[in-house]
Amino acid sequence: MSAPGAAPPGYYPDPDGLPGMVRWWDGSAWSDVATPAGPGVMTATGEAVHRPSAPAWQPARPARSGSRTSWVVGGVVVAVVVLVVAVVLGTSGRQAPDPGPTDVAGPPVAGPTFAPGTVQIVDQAAGIAYPFLGDGWYQYPFGAPLETTEVTGQYFVTQDTIPDGGEFIAQVTSGPVAEGYGWAGTATLGTTTATLAESVRANYYPGPNDRDVLRDEAVTVDGAPGWVYEFTLSWDAAGYDATGERAALLLVDVGRAAPALLYLSIPNTHAELHGVIDRVIGAVEVL
């Protein structure tokens, strides 16, 4: 199979010529599996960009309750988006080139959109940046959760209505950690992350639930010390399409008074996107 030279990582039209298919290029080699092109799959071929204009939209701040609210519940009814996503590195606020998604038909506008050409979300308040995942992901419009003082990021709705009247979503969001979670410098990265994970589990998911920890370890993030806690939750709760979710918390000591928290979650109704979590974590930059 031919490679796209020095092209940046991203999804490209299948090099074997399969119609309507794309394949992931990591900068040096192709993935083994081709993926159907469609909403949410950005290709890096420089083709015409197609994005809906931002609507006039005033979201309500989500209520906090025992089920998954705050970070996972919004006040706007939208269509369920079934997507395959790809991380394309770069930044809209820097001098990085726009990789250019394929002009594909997408779902109706379901929330505030990012500016044309956006390929990276820059969270100035938290001090980190990470990939924008493409068409079908929308700017996170809700208020800050309990765990952070501000919030930035992207999301899409996976279930319109859940038992408490809200919505269930997939998300990649960030913000500076709020006080009260035990942060006292780099030495507390692990304990602070564990405390934040317990808060997330208690506040935003149906219970009872079971947890399977996949990763709980120190990491280096763009040269800065960090900690990643990745896990799956499972539950048996009436009224939920999902019976579980894969999620991760990445805490980064960015040299400020508060560390940066990146929270990623994908319900098992969209298990084809679970790989996005590790891919985004591996592409985080410190500002």
Side-chain angles (χ1 to χ4, degrees), residues 189-190 193-194 213-221 225-231 247-252 262 264 277-278 281-282:
L189 276 166
T193 305
V213 178
L214 306 176
R215 296 176 67 191
D216 184 12
E217 61 189 20
V219 293
T220 300
V221 181
W227 198 278
V228 63
Y229 187 91
E230 187 172 358
F231 58 97
L249 288 80
L250 175 67
L251 194 65
V252 185
L262 179 68
L264 311 95
I277 294 176
D278 291 340
I281 288 175

Side-chain angles (χ1 to χ4, degrees), residues 176-266:
V177 172
E179 294 183 358
Y181 293 92
W183 176 249
T186 304
T188 62
L189 276 166
T191 55
T192 301
T193 305
T195 302
L196 289 163
E198 289 300 326
S199 178
V200 167
R201 182 183 182 186
N203 284 296
Y204 313 128
Y205 293 94
N209 56 63
D210 296 318
R211 177 172 56 191
D212 182 18
V213 178
L214 306 176
R215 296 176 67 191
D216 184 12
E217 61 189 20
V219 293
T220 300
V221 181
D222 195 21
W227 198 278
V228 63
Y229 187 91
E230 187 172 358
F231 58 97
T232 59
L233 290 179
S234 58
W235 57 81
D236 183 10
Y240 288 86
D241 292 344
T243 58
E245 178 162 289
R246 183 170 174 179
L249 288 80
L250 175 67
L251 194 65
V252 185
D253 183 356
V254 292
R256 303 182 183 184
L261 176 63
L262 179 68
Y263 175 68
L264 311 95
S265 67
I266 306 289

Side-chain angles (χ1 to χ4, degrees), residues 120-137:
Q120 190 177 53
I121 295 172
V122 179
D123 186 345
Q124 296 288 355
I128 60 174
Y130 46 93
F132 167 53
L133 295 174
D135 290 337
W137 289 79

